[in-house]
Amino acid sequence: MQFNSFAYLIFFPAVTVIYYTLPHGVRWLWLLAASCLFCMTAAPWFILPLMAVIIVEYGLGLLIERGGRNGSGSQKIFLIIGILFPLSLLVLFKYASFFHDAAVRAAVAFGLRYPAEVITFIIPLGISYYSFQSISYVIEVHRGAIRAERHFGMFALYLLFFPKIIAGPIERPSLIRQFHERHDCDYRLVTDGMRTMAGGFFKKLVIADRVAIVVNEVFGHPDYYHGIYFLLATVLFAVQIYCDFSGYTDIAIGSARVLGFRLMDNFRRPYGAASLLEFWRRWHISLTTWLRDYLYIPLGGNRNGKARWYRNIFITFLLSGLWHGANWTFIAWGAVHGLLLLLGMGTRNIRLKFISLNGLDRAPRLLRLLRIISTGALVCFAWIFFRADSLPAAIAVIRKIIAGTGDVLTSLLVFDMAHLKAVTDIARKNTILGFSRETYRPEMLIAAFSIVSLWIFHLIQKRKDVWEALSRRAACVRWGLYVLIMVAILFFGMFTQDQFIYFRF
Amino acid sequence: MKKLVGYITLSIISMILTLCALWIVPGTYPHDLAAMVNKKKMLVSKKPPRIIFIGGSSQLTLDTPLVGKELHYAAVNMSLWGGLGTREHLEEIKPYLKPGDVVVITMEYPAAIDKKYVEYIHTNKESKKFFFLMSPRRHMAEYLANRQYCELFKIVHELAQLKAKSYIRNLVLLNFFHLCDTGFPNYSTEFNTNGDRATPYVVVRPLGDSNTIFNYPEWKNHAFINDFTDYAAARNVKVVFYFSHFPRAYYKLNERYIDAYYDLMKKKLKCIVLNKPSDFVYPEDYFAETVYHLNQKGEKIRSAQLSTMLKKIL
């Protein structure tokens, strides 16, 4: 069941109403049943690996805690099993065919025979997310940061809770405590949650799915478009993936909040970041912090000299890329981010000198703006690898962008309008970019207007909490605005039920 | 809790009212198929006896004023797109038929004998939406009678979405003089007063053929023409069927299927079958960009031929 489906529109209010009418003692059972149903609507068997993880990790949590009390030393073995079990499922379902393909290619390259066959599985819903959540649970129990959960149902809910099962946020074990707490129907919480959900639907249905038409058209027909359109499509993909994923997260957070739960933030205006490091503090926060706490720091972080520090950063980004999918493009995406970050760290002093020589340090606002733009450009560059179907395709896109932008700039510099027309001509006239169809013009206008609106909203939100300020206004003003947002979604949303991008991961 | 339920209810009511308001207020629909609304208006406005052409875009390359003039009928070209479905199209025009009218039907070959395309036509939701727009009250009553409430909401919602987009378009283009127009916003520039395409199709080579897979025809896909003929006969309306034009090379390639199609129609149709498929087989240089659209030269010859054939039977 997708958040942007009609089924969810029925499912969620029904779950909420019944949840609040039930006594506190049995609410967890209702949430668990609803979450199982939510998970099984895609394919009933998706629940099986999840149940296996729940049972194994629940038992291991208790054993690790008991081992720690006895001082028997067995807790380390249980911890390793607790980490390896969900990871092995993840590898089996998500990466087996990828590693197999890589092995076949390597064997062919070295002239070896590689006869083994591999079965390709359908990736179970949310496996990347609940595997990481279960790992963080056993590690935290082992560290003694939390107590092992006794209540099997509450622990199951920690991994199964429907708003975040499919694409996160990757919650920490502290969420379990919230399932024990009593949640009464709070007007403020419910409206807050619904507003967050509405914002998410707006991002997904009005912006992401609309700009996706352009992105898919250009990336899907590379032979028909000049480089300048790939530049446009790459920038729009940056918008699409942000609105798609943060839209999903908003709906997840909002749904949980309506039910009285608080999920962690996943995005903090990432395209307003002035450096790549800052970008990663604002983008997919739940994954970044997870990797920091359970991979980067255990690897040694920045404690063992520069070389090891750089290595740890690179490994973390490489694995972050691999987490996104079993494809070289994702690994390259992670590697590009890692390399760019290392490059940034290595050239920091030179850049500071350059800034001081130019006097840019005396104009901090301009400097920040330039930094935001350059960070955005680097992030967009990396998105090419993320979006492309293969590494050669990504490289072809980069080549096209360089050549195309060069062509356009040269034409502009020498005022060669005929050449400019030639290098911006669109062969596929009957498409959204061809603009010849009456249907497409309004779509592009709505997309542009919505992106600008979102951007202005983010700018205001940076200075003051718009929703907080709004909550002090009269009810008719508040609800009037909510209705306006809902009407905008109703009339300008793309109800094509396009899958959220991060569902695939 | 009561307050919350109250506000949510009010919000839902406001949204439904906005939807209804948008449905009622005049406006265009920026979608090619919205031209159906303009064409229906044209049909209603023309006085009988009329010669009404029903078909796909192949019939848009027809000089209907010439045919009308030759035969002394008011010509109405209701054709738009082969994917709309002739059966559904004929159902739509039924209420507007008047004694003395002549309905000329043609079907492009994919719409007649490509199994997959025939299936696509009858499940195509886009067409359904714009047929709905031609006679909304009648369709609404049908949906309600069949208890298809969700389907009805979906269609009304999608059409209201299109209208909202049209307002955005008008706002940006400062197009305030046509706010009360209906149907397709570019209708007056893309179609003439008889419903033909105003400008000829651009000539492109090689010809596009939409990868039609020819199959032997099935009568169940054509039986509706006889039902329509019976309906029309009861109202003193004549029905004529003719085989569409096709490039020679493509005709030769699929001759056995097309011949089987002709045999079937000749044998089973109750209405007049005007021609043999070979009558409208032309060389490639009579065609524009696809095997369905004639260029100006082809249009002229086909229109004259059709006119002569119709003259003999009317």
Side-chain angles (χ1 to χ4, degrees):
Chain A
M1 191 187 303
Q2 297 221 58
F3 284 164
N4 55 338
S5 66
F6 186 70
Y8 192 72
L9 209 66
I10 305 289
F11 172 83
F12 181 66
V15 169
T16 308
V17 169
I18 297 172
Y19 173 78
Y20 280 121
T21 49
L22 288 171
H24 170 68
V26 290
R27 279 181 184 174
W28 67 270
L29 199 62
W30 171 242
L31 274 189
L32 197 61
S35 299
C36 285
L37 179 73
F38 182 86
C39 182
M40 289 164 74
T41 46
W45 73 269
F46 281 171
I47 199 82
L48 297 176
L50 180 53
M51 285 318 268
V53 172
I54 290 170
I55 293 165
V56 171
E57 302 292 276
Y58 171 77
L60 285 170
L62 292 172
L63 287 172
I64 290 168
E65 193 178 69
R66 193 182 299 165
R69 270 204 307 271
N70 300 341
S72 62
S74 57
Q75 59 170 166
K76 209 159 200 175
I77 298 165
F78 294 135
L79 172 69
I80 291 167
I81 299 170
I83 293 171
L84 288 182
F85 180 68
L87 276 185
S88 61
L89 285 183
L90 192 62
V91 169
L92 176 72
F93 285 110
K94 196 169 170 180
Y95 301 106
S97 62
F98 171 71
F99 289 134
H100 172 257
D101 282 348
V104 169
R105 281 180 195 201
V108 169
F110 289 105
L112 302 169
R113 284 192 66 213
Y114 186 85
E117 287 289 324
V118 76
I119 304 164
T120 309
F121 292 100
I122 297 169
I123 305 172
L125 213 66
I127 192 166
S128 308
Y129 298 90
Y130 63 71
S131 304
F132 273 31
Q133 277 185 212
S134 65
I135 290 171
S136 67
Y137 169 76
V138 287
I139 293 176
E140 292 301 325
V141 172
H142 179 260
R143 284 176 181 171
I146 56 157
R147 289 195 65 200
E149 178 55 45
R150 261 64 185 168
H151 195 301
F152 181 75
M154 298 294 181
F155 178 74
L157 256 183
Y158 164 60
L159 297 185
L160 247 171
F161 188 40
F162 72 87
K164 52 108 201 133
I165 174 99
I166 303 171
I170 302 168
E171 282 294 325
R172 299 301 177 86
S174 56
L175 178 69
I176 301 173
R177 200 178 55 237
Q178 291 190 49
F179 294 121
H180 286 283
E181 289 165 0
R182 188 187 172 86
H183 302 283
D184 290 323
C185 185
D186 181 329
Y187 171 81
R188 215 181 142 85
L189 263 184
V190 173
T191 49
D192 191 27
M194 282 166 58
R195 202 177 54 210
T196 312
M197 286 174 81
F201 280 118
F202 183 84
K203 282 183 193 167
K204 167 69 180 166
L205 300 174
V206 181
I207 304 179
D209 287 352
R210 186 163 271 111
V211 296
I213 309 170
V214 179
V215 176
N216 294 343
E217 169 62 27
V218 177
F219 275 90
H221 304 94
D223 297 336
Y224 292 104
Y225 292 97
H226 293 289
I228 195 75
Y229 293 105
F230 279 92
L231 186 66
L232 174 73
T234 304
V235 173
L236 286 179
F237 179 65
V239 175
Q240 183 201 347
I241 196 158
Y242 168 67
C243 289
D244 190 283
F245 193 21
S246 76
Y248 164 82
T249 306
D250 286 347
I251 301 168
I253 291 174
S255 302
R257 198 160 297 169
V258 168
L259 294 165
F261 301 96
R262 190 168 283 273
L263 300 184
M264 65 190 294
D265 278 344
N266 230 2
F267 294 92
R268 255 179 248 132
R269 298 183 295 279
Y271 294 132
S275 69
L276 275 183
L277 203 65
E278 197 185 334
F279 174 80
W280 280 105
R281 286 193 192 119
R282 292 158 170 249
W283 179 273
H284 203 173
I285 299 164
S286 64
L287 176 69
T288 315
T289 50
W290 193 98
L291 290 170
R292 181 198 63 198
D293 295 344
Y294 303 113
L295 180 67
Y296 172 71
I297 293 174
L299 278 172
N302 59 359
R303 292 189 301 266
N304 304 316
K306 241 180 183 176
R308 283 207 169 184
W309 180 25
Y310 285 8
R311 183 206 66 178
N312 296 341
I313 288 175
F314 190 72
I315 289 174
T316 307
F317 275 99
L318 210 62
L319 288 177
S320 155
L322 186 63
W323 176 87
H324 280 86
N327 196 326
W328 287 107
T329 51
F330 295 121
I331 297 171
W333 173 74
V336 166
H337 266 286
L339 286 173
L340 287 173
L341 205 72
L342 296 180
L343 198 71
M345 288 160 73
T347 58
R348 191 168 181 271
N349 289 336
I350 303 167
R351 283 184 293 124
L352 285 175
K353 266 184 195 165
F354 180 73
I355 288 164
S356 137
L357 274 173
N358 280 305
L360 275 170
D361 51 349
R362 287 192 295 278
R365 282 193 173 184
L366 176 66
L367 179 63
R368 183 160 174 86
L369 182 69
L370 289 174
R371 278 182 160 167
I372 290 172
I373 293 169
S374 56
T375 306
L378 293 176
V379 170
C380 283
F381 170 72
W383 283 136
I384 295 172
F385 291 93
F386 197 94
R387 176 59 181 80
D389 298 328
S390 62
L391 276 185
I395 290 160
V397 168
I398 294 166
R399 277 189 182 154
K400 272 201 155 196
I401 289 176
I402 294 168
T405 316
D407 278 343
V408 170
L409 289 177
T410 319
S411 315
L412 287 172
L413 280 173
V414 297
F415 289 107
D416 186 351
M417 290 304 134
H419 189 238
L420 182 69
K421 206 176 168 191
V423 295
T424 53
D425 181 53
I426 292 168
R428 281 165 67 87
K429 297 275 187 238
N430 241 11
T431 64
I432 188 140
L433 277 167
F435 251 59
S436 61
R437 295 280 295 267
E438 202 44 52
T439 323
Y440 297 139
R441 235 172 275 174
E443 301 293 357
M444 289 297 92
L445 291 171
I446 295 164
F449 182 74
S450 312
I451 293 168
V452 171
S453 307
L454 186 70
W455 182 56
I456 292 170
F457 176 78
H458 277 182
L459 282 179
I460 302 170
Q461 188 80 354
K462 204 173 124 185
R463 287 187 173 79
K464 63 173 182 180
D465 189 343
V466 178
W467 300 124
E468 188 54 44
L470 192 71
S471 67
R472 288 193 291 272
R473 298 282 179 139
C476 59
V477 176
R478 266 182 291 133
W479 282 90
L481 187 75
Y482 300 156
V483 169
L484 208 68
I485 296 172
M486 294 306 289
V487 164
I489 296 168
L490 187 69
F491 290 126
F492 302 122
M494 308 277 289
F495 294 89
T496 45
Q497 294 196 17
D498 282 356
Q499 206 184 44
F500 286 89
I501 295 174
Y502 267 69
F503 272 25
R504 290 174 228 155
F505 308 142
Chain B
M1 188 69 175
K2 266 186 188 169
K3 200 165 78 172
L4 181 71
V5 173
Y7 282 136
I8 292 173
T9 314
L10 268 177
S11 304
I12 293 171
I13 292 171
S14 312
M15 283 166 68
I16 293 170
L17 286 178
T18 316
L19 185 69
C20 293
L22 198 66
W23 176 255
I24 293 163
V25 292
T28 51
Y29 299 85
H31 192 293
D32 301 335
L33 295 184
M36 296 301 295
V37 178
N38 306 84
K39 293 207 168 199
K40 184 203 122 183
K41 252 178 117 179
M42 175 185 65
L43 173 68
V44 174
S45 69
K46 300 252 177 181
K47 281 183 186 159
R50 301 164 296 185
I51 182 158
I52 303 161
F53 294 93
I54 300 284
S57 59
S58 67
Q59 207 162 220
L60 286 175
T61 51
L62 181 69
D63 189 351
T64 53
L66 174 92
V67 179
K69 206 172 143 190
E70 292 272 316
L71 305 170
H72 307 292
Y73 278 87
V76 181
N77 194 347
M78 292 292 289
S79 313
L80 191 62
W81 175 49
L84 273 173
T86 313
R87 186 174 65 197
E88 293 80 358
H89 212 153
L90 290 173
E91 280 301 312
E92 282 309 313
I93 64 156
K94 269 182 181 177
Y96 310 106
L97 293 178
K98 297 273 158 56
D101 284 345
V102 178
V103 179
V104 181
I105 306 166
T106 189
M107 286 163 82
E108 284 150 12
Y109 289 112
I113 47 179
D114 180 340
K115 266 184 195 165
K116 274 198 174 162
Y117 196 68
V118 172
E119 203 182 301
Y120 160 76
I121 288 171
H122 298 308
T123 51
N124 181 7
K125 290 192 173 161
E126 281 298 283
S127 313
K128 232 178 176 181
K129 207 158 71 186
F130 291 97
F131 280 132
F132 181 95
L133 201 56
M134 282 176 84
S135 330
R137 275 187 205 168
R138 186 166 60 86
H139 285 291
M140 237 180 240
E142 274 172 20
Y143 276 102
L144 291 174
N146 296 331
R147 295 183 179 179
Q148 293 173 300
Y149 308 119
C150 280
E151 279 293 305
L152 175 64
F153 175 79
K154 218 175 150 193
I155 285 186
V156 170
H157 171 234
E158 283 178 14
L159 288 170
Q161 269 198 324
L162 269 178
K163 204 187 257 183
K165 285 174 193 171
S166 162
Y167 286 132
I168 297 268
R169 173 187 171 273
N170 287 336
L171 206 70
V172 173
L173 299 177
L174 302 174
N175 189 15
F176 302 123
F177 299 109
H178 299 282
L179 286 181
C180 293
D181 286 359
T182 52
F184 183 52
N186 288 2
Y187 187 82
S188 55
T189 52
E190 291 195 13
F191 297 91
N192 67 15
T193 50
N194 292 79
D196 304 333
R197 218 180 122 87
T199 47
Y201 285 103
V202 186
V203 175
V204 177
R205 289 292 179 272
L207 284 177
D209 69 344
S210 64
N211 301 321
T212 304
I213 300 164
F214 281 75
N215 307 111
Y216 285 107
E218 290 179 70
W219 174 243
K220 65 172 185 184
N221 295 330
H222 301 89
F224 68 89
I225 301 177
N226 277 356
D227 298 339
F228 180 77
T229 307
D230 292 340
Y231 176 91
R235 282 151 190 84
N236 198 21
V237 173
K238 247 183 199 161
V239 180
V240 178
F241 180 88
Y242 82 91
F243 291 92
S244 191
H245 51 262
F246 216 39
R248 186 155 294 141
Y250 286 85
Y251 173 75
K252 284 275 168 214
L253 205 66
N254 302 293
E255 203 172 353
R256 57 194 168 126
Y257 299 107
I258 295 173
D259 283 351
Y261 176 40
Y262 171 69
D263 291 340
L264 179 82
M265 298 304 257
K266 187 82 190 151
K267 198 170 130 192
K268 296 246 184 175
L269 278 187
K270 288 181 185 172
C271 66
I272 304 159
V273 177
L274 196 64
N275 67 330
K276 284 183 183 168
S278 56
D279 292 337
F280 287 158
V281 168
Y282 302 123
E284 196 177 307
D285 60 336
Y286 281 35
F287 286 80
E289 87 297 18
T290 68
V291 295
Y292 313 111
H293 303 150
L294 293 167
N295 58 22
Q296 271 176 305
K297 193 162 86 178
E299 181 178 333
K300 220 172 178 182
I301 287 175
R302 203 266 301 246
S303 301
Q305 253 182 298
L306 188 70
S307 185
T308 314
M309 286 176 174
L310 283 168
K311 219 174 202 175
K312 282 182 191 164
I313 55 144
L314 295 177

